[in-house]
């Protein structure tokens, strides 16, 4: 809308486990390598205390940018489930009334394979109308419902909100926010800057992401719309004052005054 004042909310999405599912079947639950718009908007809706039937029209209009500060690694969880009443599980078949029948012969335990990202850290930037974004920032700091990163079993670690920023292009915001990787990852840095992968929502983007939710209502199910995205790399300071010496530099340092025979007294 012309004349609307905008702002940008920046979030730090870090946890031992995250899972940003795409369109996958119940028994095989995948995760994408970056937070999805559906997952991030779900976190914001929970923070505000919206129920699953609430409209998402205002949230869907937010422009999302994601930076990969620490990609993490993929974890597969062998997960079993059963009916707490000790009765056979439902089968895929139905009777004449359209009701699911029990498994024959009886089957009491099912298996699902669920995938997670472990030890990953992302920065998400959301641009939208100032009033809306400020309300969301307050909600994230004081959430009504517990926050989670893709699934309820994945609570975030540390403060989620990194605060509000003035209305700038998301690329600039993602370049300005300090590197959020864990201390063990930052200790591995050997240069004054690091190049990080980023994805920015852009109607003119060269790729499509199918992750825009129409609702979170369990009765109707969620249908995912498309959005244009653009992939890029951003350069962020590591915090080092000067590059660490390379292995070659260390090996050749002081060679001019090194005497291999000195220990022999020669």
């Amino acid at each position: 809308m012309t004349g609307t004042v905008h702002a940008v909310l920046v979030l730090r999405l870090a946890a031992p486990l995250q899972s940003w599912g795409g369109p996958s079947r119940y028994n095989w639950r995948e995760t994408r390598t970056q937070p999805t718009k559906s997952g991030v908007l779900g976190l914001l809706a929970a923070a505000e205390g919206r129920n699953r039937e609430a409209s998402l029209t205002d949230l869907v209009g937010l422009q999302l940018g994601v930076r990969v500060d620490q990609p993490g690694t993929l974890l597969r969880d062998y997960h079993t489930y059963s009916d707490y009443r000790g009765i056979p599980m439902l089968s895929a078949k139905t009777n004449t009334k359209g009701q699911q029948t029990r498994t024959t012969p009886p089957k009491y335990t099912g298996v699902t394979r669920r995938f997670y990202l472990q030890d990953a850290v992302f920065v998400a930037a959301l641009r939208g109308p100032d009033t809306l974004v400020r309300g969301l920032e307050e909600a994230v700091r004081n959430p009504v419902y517990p926050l989670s990163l893709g699934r309820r079993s994945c609570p975030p670690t540390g403060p989620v909100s990194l605060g509000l920023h003035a209305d700038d292009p998301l690329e600039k915001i993602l370049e300005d926010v300090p590197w959020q990787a864990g201390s063990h990852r930052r200790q591995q840095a050997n240069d004054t800057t690091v190049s990080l992968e980023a994805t920015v929502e852009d109607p003119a983007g060269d790729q499509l992401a199918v992750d825009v939710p129409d609702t979170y209502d369990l009765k109707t199910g969620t249908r995912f719309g498309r959005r244009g995205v653009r992939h890029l790399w951003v350069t962020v300071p590591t915090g080092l004052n000067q590059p660490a010496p390379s292995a070659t530099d260390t090996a050749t340092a002081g060679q001019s005054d090194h005497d291999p025979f000195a220990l022999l007294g020669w």
Side-chain angles (χ1 to χ4, degrees):
M1 183 182 298
T2 303
T4 301
V5 178
H6 287 72
V8 179
L9 169 61
V10 179
L11 306 176
R12 180 178 187 269
L13 306 177
L17 294 177
Q18 305 182 38
S19 188
W20 306 98
S24 54
R25 297 182 178 181
Y26 181 78
N27 290 341
W28 189 274
R29 308 298 293 274
E30 298 176 350
T31 180
R32 297 187 183 177
T33 57
Q34 296 183 20
T36 60
K37 187 163 188 177
S38 176
V40 174
L41 297 189
L43 180 148
L44 297 176
E48 284 195 317
R50 301 192 190 197
N51 59 41
R52 285 187 170 273
E53 296 76 26
S55 172
L56 301 175
T57 303
D58 55 342
L59 297 183
V60 167
L62 295 171
Q63 182 187 13
L64 173 65
V66 174
R67 190 181 77 189
V68 182
D69 285 39
Q70 189 168 296
T73 56
L74 187 65
L75 170 71
R76 185 179 74 172
D77 176 34
Y78 179 86
H79 184 89
T80 62
Y81 62 95
S82 59
D83 193 301
Y84 72 95
R85 295 167 295 181
I87 60 179
M89 298 174 56
L90 293 171
S91 70
K93 299 179 181 179
T94 59
N95 57 24
T96 55
K97 297 181 180 180
Q99 301 169 329
Q100 280 184 279
T101 60
R102 299 287 171 179
T103 51
T104 305
K107 182 179 179 182
Y108 296 92
T109 303
V111 175
T112 66
R113 291 171 174 82
R114 305 184 182 191
F115 293 83
Y116 298 86
L117 296 176
Q118 54 184 351
D119 198 28
V121 181
F122 304 97
V123 168
L126 296 122
R127 178 181 180 272
D130 183 84
T131 302
L132 172 63
V133 171
R134 288 186 181 278
L136 292 172
E137 200 275 339
E138 176 63 26
V140 170
R141 291 187 181 276
N142 302 279
V144 176
Y145 298 130
L147 305 182
S148 57
L149 304 187
R151 291 188 191 152
R152 288 185 180 180
S153 59
C154 303
T157 57
V160 174
S161 175
L162 294 180
L164 295 170
H165 289 245
D167 184 19
D168 282 321
L170 291 184
E171 299 97 304
K172 184 177 186 308
I173 297 293
L174 295 177
E175 289 176 348
D176 292 344
V177 175
W179 195 24
Q180 298 296 314
S183 58
H184 63 288
R185 175 66 183 89
R186 294 198 302 271
Q187 290 170 1
Q188 297 172 2
N190 55 14
D191 205 342
T192 57
T193 61
V194 62
S195 185
L196 303 176
E197 181 184 0
T199 302
V200 174
E201 188 170 335
D202 183 350
D206 56 352
Q207 294 191 16
L208 292 175
V210 186
D211 62 355
V212 183
D214 61 344
T215 180
Y216 295 120
D217 191 342
L218 296 177
K219 295 180 181 179
T220 61
T222 302
R223 290 177 298 180
F224 296 99
R226 299 178 179 182
R227 62 188 177 105
V229 297
R230 177 164 46 88
H231 298 286
L232 63 151
W233 293 87
V234 294
T235 301
V236 179
T238 60
L240 289 177
N241 294 325
Q242 58 184 8
S246 66
T248 302
D249 293 338
T250 303
T252 57
Q255 277 190 353
S256 59
D257 59 357
H258 174 60
D259 183 358
F261 299 105
L263 293 177
L264 300 178
W266 292 5

